[in-house]
Amino acid sequence: MLIEVQGLSKRYRPRGPMVVEEVSFTIDRGETLAIFGDSGSGKSTIGQILAGIYPATAGEVRLDGQRLSYPLRGPARRRIQILFQHPEVAFNPKLRLIDSMREPYRLFHLPYTRQGLCDYLERYGIYEEHLDRFPAELSGGELQRLALARAMLMDPSFLVLDEPTSMLDVISQAQVIQLLQEIQQEREVGYLFISHDLSVVKHISNRIGVMYLGKIVELGDYRTIFGDSRHPYTKALLSAIPIPKIGVERKQIILKGDVPSPVNLPGGCRFAGRCPYATDKCRQEEPKLKDVGNTHYVACHYDNLE
């Protein structure tokens, strides 16, 4: 197994709320696990921990069976890379792009020639004339493809993709997703794909984890999640996706109430206050993530309700 995450938890202040709590999952070579959830669910925090930006409060991450220590150093620093939602943050705005692209060569003592770099970048739709510009002079799509090219210079085995297409137009989104899929097929890179766009998640993922207030509430194969979801929160999210057929409408599940504050979480199930099926048991006892068959995991006391 490429990546193993066990009991991962994170709080940013000593007495602050847990923004991620006891999250566990695995990602194999050549596999994409998509993490989906509302803003504030903790999905980006998980990605940033795996990429070495923040340390975990508890739990562990293993790469090829070896427990990682943070900050990441040595081979692990090269083997795990991240692509951000805003591609411009990957580049120094005061440096020409040629200088930013030289950094991996310098840091990891790779043989460098300008022509070699240009030949390499053509694969990503970036050409020599782009390199003498500053980051602000490229479009979002061009800059994200360049960020991906720089990440792949490190020869990583795992990429954290933190909403890498959400700030791009439709054409640029398609170009970046196609590149990611081609790279994964060629090099068996594992992806953690973080997104709030279920249409993109459906297109790129092998498995999907649905998060709510810092916990995974459902995890399974993408066909299972889209075709046989069991958690009421997942069902509500999927019900909002339009059906691309004229005259066919999906019955949308409208969730009532507000998302609880992470500072003052209710007892029992965190979703109980908004769930149409909640009972006293839900409000008193927090459900555990359990296997309901075929590696499909659900954290709900009543996961068989239709």
PDB file of all heavy atoms in Angstrom, residues 37-43 163 196 259:
ATOM      1  N   GLY A  37     -16.544  17.312   0.708  1.00  0.00           N
ATOM      2  CA  GLY A  37     -17.279  17.819   1.865  1.00  0.00           C
ATOM      3  C   GLY A  37     -17.443  19.320   1.774  1.00  0.00           C
ATOM      4  O   GLY A  37     -16.811  19.993   0.946  1.00  0.00           O
ATOM      5  N   ASP A  38     -18.297  19.870   2.621  1.00  0.00           N
ATOM      6  CA  ASP A  38     -18.509  21.317   2.657  1.00  0.00           C
ATOM      7  C   ASP A  38     -17.257  22.035   3.145  1.00  0.00           C
ATOM      8  O   ASP A  38     -16.353  21.423   3.721  1.00  0.00           O
ATOM      9  CB  ASP A  38     -19.670  21.656   3.597  1.00  0.00           C
ATOM     10  CG  ASP A  38     -21.011  21.238   3.023  1.00  0.00           C
ATOM     11  OD1 ASP A  38     -21.147  21.211   1.795  1.00  0.00           O
ATOM     12  OD2 ASP A  38     -21.922  20.940   3.817  1.00  0.00           O
ATOM     13  N   SER A  39     -17.216  23.336   2.945  1.00  0.00           N
ATOM     14  CA  SER A  39     -16.139  24.148   3.507  1.00  0.00           C
ATOM     15  C   SER A  39     -16.121  23.981   5.020  1.00  0.00           C
ATOM     16  O   SER A  39     -17.169  23.984   5.672  1.00  0.00           O
ATOM     17  CB  SER A  39     -16.356  25.624   3.156  1.00  0.00           C
ATOM     18  OG  SER A  39     -16.283  25.823   1.767  1.00  0.00           O
ATOM     19  N   GLY A  40     -14.919  23.808   5.570  1.00  0.00           N
ATOM     20  CA  GLY A  40     -14.782  23.627   7.007  1.00  0.00           C
ATOM     21  C   GLY A  40     -14.906  22.193   7.468  1.00  0.00           C
ATOM     22  O   GLY A  40     -14.853  21.926   8.668  1.00  0.00           O
ATOM     23  N   SER A  41     -15.041  21.255   6.520  1.00  0.00           N
ATOM     24  CA  SER A  41     -15.186  19.849   6.915  1.00  0.00           C
ATOM     25  C   SER A  41     -13.860  19.218   7.311  1.00  0.00           C
ATOM     26  O   SER A  41     -13.832  18.153   7.918  1.00  0.00           O
ATOM     27  CB  SER A  41     -15.816  19.046   5.779  1.00  0.00           C
ATOM     28  OG  SER A  41     -14.999  19.072   4.622  1.00  0.00           O
ATOM     29  N   GLY A  42     -12.737  19.851   6.952  1.00  0.00           N
ATOM     30  CA  GLY A  42     -11.423  19.331   7.336  1.00  0.00           C
ATOM     31  C   GLY A  42     -10.664  18.684   6.200  1.00  0.00           C
ATOM     32  O   GLY A  42      -9.539  18.219   6.389  1.00  0.00           O
ATOM     33  N   LYS A  43     -11.227  18.684   4.999  1.00  0.00           N
ATOM     34  CA  LYS A  43     -10.590  17.963   3.896  1.00  0.00           C
ATOM     35  C   LYS A  43      -9.245  18.578   3.489  1.00  0.00           C
ATOM     36  O   LYS A  43      -8.277  17.844   3.257  1.00  0.00           O
ATOM     37  CB  LYS A  43     -11.535  17.876   2.697  1.00  0.00           C
ATOM     38  CG  LYS A  43     -12.058  19.191   2.162  1.00  0.00           C
ATOM     39  CD  LYS A  43     -13.147  18.962   1.115  1.00  0.00           C
ATOM     40  CE  LYS A  43     -13.555  20.277   0.452  1.00  0.00           C
ATOM     41  NZ  LYS A  43     -14.144  21.236   1.392  1.00  0.00           N
ATOM     42  N   GLU A 163      -8.137  20.894  -4.505  1.00  0.00           N
ATOM     43  CA  GLU A 163      -9.041  21.632  -5.388  1.00  0.00           C
ATOM     44  C   GLU A 163      -8.279  22.276  -6.547  1.00  0.00           C
ATOM     45  O   GLU A 163      -8.398  23.481  -6.792  1.00  0.00           O
ATOM     46  CB  GLU A 163      -9.824  22.681  -4.598  1.00  0.00           C
ATOM     47  CG  GLU A 163     -10.597  22.067  -3.427  1.00  0.00           C
ATOM     48  CD  GLU A 163     -11.815  22.862  -3.013  1.00  0.00           C
ATOM     49  OE1 GLU A 163     -12.505  23.374  -3.915  1.00  0.00           O
ATOM     50  OE2 GLU A 163     -12.074  22.962  -1.820  1.00  0.00           O
ATOM     51  N   HIS A 196     -14.887  20.171  -3.828  1.00  0.00           N
ATOM     52  CA  HIS A 196     -16.275  20.382  -3.447  1.00  0.00           C
ATOM     53  C   HIS A 196     -17.189  20.217  -4.655  1.00  0.00           C
ATOM     54  O   HIS A 196     -18.391  20.454  -4.567  1.00  0.00           O
ATOM     55  CB  HIS A 196     -16.455  21.788  -2.849  1.00  0.00           C
ATOM     56  CG  HIS A 196     -16.201  22.886  -3.843  1.00  0.00           C
ATOM     57  ND1 HIS A 196     -14.950  23.389  -4.085  1.00  0.00           N
ATOM     58  CD2 HIS A 196     -17.040  23.547  -4.679  1.00  0.00           C
ATOM     59  CE1 HIS A 196     -15.023  24.330  -5.021  1.00  0.00           C
ATOM     60  NE2 HIS A 196     -16.278  24.440  -5.397  1.00  0.00           N
ATOM     61  N   VAL A 259     -25.026  24.137  10.076  1.00  0.00           N
ATOM     62  CA  VAL A 259     -23.910  23.268  10.452  1.00  0.00           C
ATOM     63  C   VAL A 259     -23.431  23.682  11.836  1.00  0.00           C
ATOM     64  O   VAL A 259     -23.174  24.866  12.082  1.00  0.00           O
ATOM     65  CB  VAL A 259     -22.752  23.388   9.442  1.00  0.00           C
ATOM     66  CG1 VAL A 259     -21.591  22.508   9.866  1.00  0.00           C
ATOM     67  CG2 VAL A 259     -23.227  23.008   8.043  1.00  0.00           C
TER      68      VAL A 259
END
